[in-house]
Amino acid sequence: MKIEAVNLEEKLSSIPDYWNPRIVGELNGQHVKLAKIRGEFIWHHHEKEDELFLVLQGVLRLEFRGPELPPFVELRPGELFVVPRGVEHRPVAQEEAHLLMFEPASTLNTGNVRNERTVENLERI
């Protein structure tokens, strides 16, 4: 067992690409992930998993589809949002943003969609 603090800035500085989450911690069947994002992701949902987004840098716009849902929510550094399971959403960042995500280990980054942005085996940093 390795016991040490995780320096988020250091870990983020090692991420060279966008939309490719890395695992920085695990607990109780959950992954703690870091990602850099820019531009628009794909519309998707997670059938069985809730997904927590915490903005560390930049602005994240989470867009939603569905009745009785707001069209979007914008998050700034220090703000978080939990996307409930089953809610169709699309993350968007006009400029580079840094995110911490907390979700079950089984969560696929593209949810119900598989395409060139799907990351099956996440790297641990």
Side-chain angles (χ1 to χ4, degrees):
M1 178 185 339
K2 192 174 185 182
I3 299 177
E4 64 182 46
V6 175
N7 183 304
L8 298 179
E9 286 185 26
E10 179 182 295
K11 298 295 185 183
L12 280 160
S13 71
S14 73
I15 298 176
D17 51 1
Y18 298 125
W19 304 110
N20 187 358
R22 294 348 193 260
I23 299 169
V24 294
E26 293 185 60
L27 69 155
N28 303 319
Q30 305 281 314
H31 280 164
V32 179
K33 303 174 186 177
L34 289 177
K36 289 181 180 178
I37 66 169
R38 184 173 184 165
E40 297 177 349
F41 201 55
I42 60 167
W43 285 102
H44 68 285
H45 71 275
H46 303 278
E47 198 65 43
K48 298 179 182 176
E49 302 103 350
D50 300 328
E51 191 174 24
L52 180 147
F53 292 90
L54 170 64
V55 176
L56 302 172
Q57 178 182 311
V59 177
L60 169 65
R61 180 181 173 116
L62 287 169
E63 298 178 343
F64 305 107
R65 286 184 179 161
E68 301 179 28
L69 293 172
F72 66 89
V73 61
E74 277 195 358
L75 305 174
R76 294 180 176 359
E79 295 181 325
L80 68 82
F81 188 87
V82 176
V83 177
R85 65 187 58 122
V87 171
E88 190 173 20
H89 61 285
R90 177 174 72 166
V92 176
Q94 296 303 316
E95 301 296 328
E96 182 175 298
H98 300 173
L99 307 178
L100 183 141
M101 294 163 290
F102 185 72
E103 53 202 10
S106 61
T107 303
L108 194 60
N109 68 318
T110 54
N112 63 316
V113 177
R114 289 185 185 267
N115 65 15
E116 67 281 349
R117 286 197 161 170
T118 301
V119 181
E120 298 273 351
N121 299 304
L122 299 178
E123 179 184 346
R124 294 173 190 275
I125 58 172

